[in-house]
Amino acid sequence: MGIIPTGGEAMPSQDLSPLATLRVALEPYPEDARQLTFTPNESAFTAPVEVAAGELEDKATTLAGLADGTITPGAVPFGQGDGVRVNFKYTGQGANDLQLLFEIAYPGPQGYETVTAEAPVSAASQARFAAGLRQLLEDGSGTFDWTVAD
């Protein structure tokens, strides 16, 4: 696949920091392996990843736990196999001190090519992100936009 913003040729890794917005879209079918697409900062970089049944609910629970401090900051990966991958890497001392490194990894001829963006994330913002994922899950499909800053 490779990074394909406009012209169709793979590009070197890019940094889109700071992460200001993230659009998340969930396709309704097939239910056992649905497509979830992430688009950072309204850019041309999109990351379609496959999520297995139950995986989205587990990820939403983990992301909510980061917001309320019940889960220690760490990585929350999406995608599997040789396809596109998305990783939310959280560092910090807990819910009110989260730093997020958002990373898209596209498979390419020389390994994975990445697009990254970083941002501090408040507990309130993290809670909004988790709630948005849960709403997509409840609705079965749709799109939501996460504004990272409060």
Side-chain angles (χ1 to χ4, degrees), residues 103-126:
E103 179 180 66
I104 301 171
Y106 296 97
Q110 303 298 321
Y112 280 89
E113 300 165 352
T114 60
V115 174
T116 60
E118 291 186 72
V121 179
S122 70
S125 178
Q126 184 64 34

Side-chain angles (χ1 to χ4, degrees), residues 59 62 66 72-77 87-90:
K59 304 289 185 182
T62 299
L66 285 164
T72 304
V76 182
N87 202 0
F88 293 82
K89 296 178 182 176
Y90 292 92

Side-chain angles (χ1 to χ4, degrees), residues 75-86:
V76 182
F78 288 83
Q80 49 200 323
D82 295 333
V84 175
R85 296 179 186 188
V86 171

Side-chain angles (χ1 to χ4, degrees), residues 37-120:
T37 302
F38 298 95
T39 306
N41 294 340
E42 299 179 22
S43 70
F45 298 102
T46 60
V49 296
E50 190 175 286
V51 290
E55 181 182 2
L56 187 55
E57 185 172 346
D58 292 344
K59 304 289 185 182
T61 299
T62 299
L63 292 164
L66 285 164
D68 66 21
T70 59
I71 293 184
T72 304
V76 182
F78 288 83
Q80 49 200 323
D82 295 333
V84 175
R85 296 179 186 188
V86 171
N87 202 0
F88 293 82
K89 296 178 182 176
Y90 292 92
T91 58
Q93 300 302 313
N96 291 314
D97 180 40
L98 291 174
Q99 181 71 24
L100 169 61
L101 172 63
F102 172 79
E103 179 180 66
I104 301 171
Y106 296 97
Q110 303 298 321
Y112 280 89
E113 300 165 352
T114 60
V115 174
T116 60
E118 291 186 72

